[in-house]
Structure formats: C-alpha cells, structure tokens
Amino acid sequence: MSSKVDLSFNVEDVLRLPNSSVKDKEPKIKTLLNELKTLQQAKLVLEEEVKEAVFFQSTLHNEEYALSNEVSKLQESLYEKEETYRALQLKCEDTVKESQTQFELKQQKEELVEQYSFQIQETKLRHRKIRLQRHYPLKHKLLNTLESSY
C-alpha cells in the first residue's frame, strides 16, 4: 500500500518570487497545488502505514506477552513434573530394595524349612530304627550280620 512520491522540494523555491508575469505564476501555482495535493496524499498513506505498524506492534506485543505467560506456566509445570518424577524414582528405589530384602528373607525361610524337614525326616528314621531294634532284636542281629558279611 506504499506509493513512492518524490518528496524533494526546496522551501526557497516556493518563497522565491520570480520577476516574470502573472501568467507565468499561474502554472507555477497549479504545479505547487498539485505537488501539495501529492504530498498530502503521501502523508495520508504514510499515516495509514504508521497506524498499521503501531497496530501490528501492539499485536506482536500482546502475542509476546501471551507466549511469555505460557512459557512461565510450562516451566512451572515442568518443574512440578520433575519433582514428582524424582519423588517417584526414590519411592521406586525404596520399593525395589524392600522387595529384594523380602525375597532374601523368604529364601532364607525356605532354606530353613527345608533343613528342618530333613532333620525331622532323619529323626523319624532314627526313631523308627530304634523301635524296630527293640521289637525285633533277632532280625536286627541277623540283618547286621548279613550286612557285615557282604
């Protein structure tokens, strides 16, 4: 919407009165009026462009302000999420350690149960053998003799 207008004009040229006749002045006045009209139109165009630039600047400023607010909110949200992440990560590490400890305790208990089961089984077998020896002493001696002969 810009138009190029020749704005070169000298004030002295306007104020200088030539020694020529009135007839010569009329075309000069028309030329000056045309130039004035052209300058006024150029001024209106420039004023309109300035208004558009000011409006555009205002719009950009408003957008910058809105984006700045959004950036602040996003940074705050990111900070909160990072804090939550760190807290959850610590909780997860604690849970893993606790789980590992419980697993190890369970294994120890299972090993003890197995050990006790073997001891119980062994004790039962010993008692059985003792009972058998008391009830069947001859068979026992015979078995012992047979075992020793092999």
Side-chain angles (χ1 to χ4, degrees):
M1 183 169 184
S2 65
S3 61
K4 206 167 192 178
V5 179
D6 185 19
L7 299 177
S8 62
F9 128 131
N10 194 348
V11 175
E12 293 173 357
D13 291 340
V14 175
L15 295 177
R16 196 175 334 135
L17 294 173
N19 293 334
S20 54
S21 67
V22 175
K23 290 182 183 179
D24 288 341
K25 290 182 183 177
E26 256 185 61
K28 182 82 171 176
I29 291 174
K30 284 184 181 179
T31 304
L32 289 175
L33 286 175
N34 283 339
E35 193 172 333
L36 179 63
K37 186 177 180 181
T38 304
L39 289 173
Q40 287 173 338
Q41 288 174 346
K43 179 184 174 189
L44 290 175
V45 168
L46 289 174
E47 285 175 350
E48 186 63 31
E49 287 179 359
V50 166
K51 284 180 186 177
E52 288 176 14
V54 167
F55 176 76
F56 186 67
Q57 180 184 18
S58 173
T59 302
L60 286 177
H61 178 71
N62 291 341
E63 287 180 14
E64 178 187 15
Y65 180 75
L67 289 173
S68 176
N69 284 340
E70 187 174 346
V71 165
S72 294
K73 289 177 184 177
L74 289 173
Q75 285 175 336
E76 185 178 321
S77 175
L78 175 64
Y79 176 76
E80 290 172 0
K81 288 180 181 183
E82 285 174 341
E83 285 297 312
T84 302
Y85 172 76
R86 281 190 283 276
L88 288 174
Q89 195 172 23
L90 289 174
K91 182 148 181 86
C92 183
E93 289 172 5
D94 289 345
T95 304
V96 166
K97 286 179 185 177
E98 185 180 331
S99 172
Q100 183 65 30
T101 303
Q102 288 178 356
F103 177 75
E104 290 170 0
L105 284 173
K106 181 182 176 220
Q107 275 189 321
Q108 289 174 355
K109 288 177 182 180
E110 286 175 351
E111 288 172 4
L112 281 174
V113 165
E114 187 177 346
Q115 183 182 355
Y116 292 150
S117 293
F118 288 142
Q119 287 176 353
I120 290 170
Q121 190 70 22
E122 193 176 291
T123 304
K124 283 181 178 180
L125 287 174
R126 254 189 273 128
H127 286 154
R128 184 174 177 198
K129 185 176 180 181
I130 292 171
R131 273 195 322 266
L132 285 175
Q133 285 175 356
R134 286 186 186 157
H135 291 300
Y136 305 105
L138 290 174
K139 280 187 180 178
H140 176 69
K141 285 181 183 178
L142 182 63
L143 283 174
N144 278 342
T145 313
L146 287 173
E147 283 179 6
S148 58
S149 66
Y150 287 109

